[in-house]
């Protein structure tokens, strides 16, 4: 196999799993209609697309203030050695967002902390917000929404992600196994985190459960709890 073949294989969804992957991908997309909000909140991850969409929406006048939140995880320390939120903020400022419109919350290590520490950051600055556009990886939208509504119930939450189709997104990450495993892991967390009181419950259809279970049996388990 040539290097080009290896590269293609690493970013190609196996046909036998494509329908199940697409089912989970669609499930996690909240399909919220964007409208102007008080603040944009970009959740840190390995995906620079969060900073890209956050910057774009700022320039489109969707919010006057942008908060990036996130320290590092094992999957991000090499790509963002100074921390996820710091790198996201640097991207936004380099692409025309005024530094005065950007706040950095550099300590959160999970989605719960993203919202708890962002809320504290805003409270400490006497900034009152009633609505937010929350930007995340595409397959984190539903979990981000469910977590935000549990921890910050009065906040009007709209979810958004960088608008890429599934195939393009996999190519942008460069590792199809990682993307599928993350999809599987986030699907598990939707139910488990609600049971543990970390998030509000979300409806999970029989089709989603079946797709999830088939992908688990296929070995995409590296992100399971």
């Amino acid at each position: 196999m040539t290097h080009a073949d290896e590269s293609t294989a690493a970013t190609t969804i196996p046909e036998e799993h494509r329908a199940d992957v697409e089912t989970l991908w669609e499930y996690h997309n909240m399909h919220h209609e964007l409208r102007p909000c008080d603040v944009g909140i970009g959740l840190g991850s390995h995906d620079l697309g969060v900073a890209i969409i956050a910057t774009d929406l700022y320039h489109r006048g969707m919010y006057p203030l942008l908060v990036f939140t996130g320290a590092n995880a094992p999957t991000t320390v090499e790509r963002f050695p100074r921390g996820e939120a710091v790198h996201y903020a640097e991207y936004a400022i380099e692409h025309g967002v005024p530094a005065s419109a950007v706040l950095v919350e550099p300590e959160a290590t999970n989605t719960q902390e993203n919202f708890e520490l962002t809320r504290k950051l805003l409270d400490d600055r006497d900034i009152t917000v009633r609505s937010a556009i929350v930007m995340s990886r595409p397959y984190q939208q539903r979990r981000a929404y469910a977590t935000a509504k549990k921890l910050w119930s009065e906040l009007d939450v709209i979810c958004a992600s960088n608008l890429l189709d599934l195939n393009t997104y996999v190519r942008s990450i460069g590792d199809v196994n990682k993307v599928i495993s993350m999809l599987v892991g986030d699907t598990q967390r939707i139910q488990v985190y609600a049971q543990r009181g970390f998030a509000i419950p979300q409806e999970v259809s029989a089709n989603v459960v079946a797709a999830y279970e088939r992908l688990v049996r296929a070995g995409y388990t590296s992100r399971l709890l």
Side-chain angles (χ1 to χ4, degrees):
M1 181 180 291
T2 67
H3 178 72
D5 291 336
E6 291 175 352
S7 178
T8 299
T11 58
T12 301
I13 300 168
E15 281 306 312
E16 65 269 28
H17 303 314
R18 174 171 290 279
D20 289 335
V21 173
E22 289 176 347
T23 294
L24 298 192
W25 177 262
E26 179 66 15
Y27 172 68
H28 288 285
N29 186 340
M30 297 296 289
H31 296 286
H32 286 165
E33 183 175 344
L34 294 178
R35 64 180 183 274
C37 289
D38 295 329
V39 68
I41 302 173
L43 307 184
S45 73
H46 63 271
D47 184 359
L48 187 62
V50 175
I52 293 171
I53 186 63
T55 300
D56 177 60
L57 294 183
Y58 176 86
H59 288 307
R60 288 165 56 186
M62 288 295 170
Y63 35 72
L65 178 67
L66 180 53
V67 180
F68 290 115
T69 167
N72 271 125
T75 55
T76 66
V77 67
E78 283 192 19
R79 188 171 192 186
F80 301 132
R82 293 185 300 284
E84 299 154 4
V86 170
H87 281 265
Y88 283 6
E90 290 172 351
Y91 175 93
I93 292 167
E94 288 169 1
H95 290 81
V97 178
S100 59
V102 179
L103 294 177
V104 173
E105 185 294 296
E107 298 179 2
T109 59
N110 57 53
T111 307
Q112 179 174 341
E113 290 181 357
N114 285 143
F115 290 110
E116 289 175 340
L117 296 179
T118 293
R119 187 174 191 175
K120 183 178 185 302
L121 179 71
L122 294 170
D123 286 346
D124 287 348
R125 287 163 173 73
D126 294 322
I127 299 171
T128 300
V129 298
R130 296 178 176 84
S131 60
I133 297 179
V134 174
M135 291 149 289
S136 66
R137 298 162 293 181
Y139 51 82
Q140 191 186 5
Q141 280 193 25
R142 186 172 292 276
R143 181 162 63 86
Y145 176 83
T147 304
K149 296 304 290 184
K150 179 70 177 184
L151 299 173
W152 203 343
S153 59
E154 69 274 24
L155 187 69
D156 183 12
V157 176
I158 297 173
C159 292
S161 299
N162 198 26
L163 294 177
L164 300 178
D165 62 67
L166 175 57
N167 290 330
T168 303
Y169 184 79
V170 171
R171 288 194 296 271
S172 76
I173 299 301
D175 186 341
V176 66
N177 291 333
K178 180 178 184 177
V179 172
I180 297 175
S181 294
M182 296 288 263
L183 271 167
V184 170
D186 262 51
T187 305
Q188 180 198 41
R189 284 163 173 78
I190 290 293
Q191 298 187 75
V192 172
Y193 285 179
Q195 293 165 0
R196 294 180 180 177
F198 300 158
I200 64 170
Q202 297 286 286
E203 182 178 350
V204 185
S205 71
N207 285 343
V208 169
V209 171
Y212 162 81
E213 290 177 346
R214 283 190 292 267
L215 290 170
V216 169
R217 289 196 298 270
Y220 295 102
T221 58
S222 65
R223 292 291 297 168
L224 292 181
L225 296 169

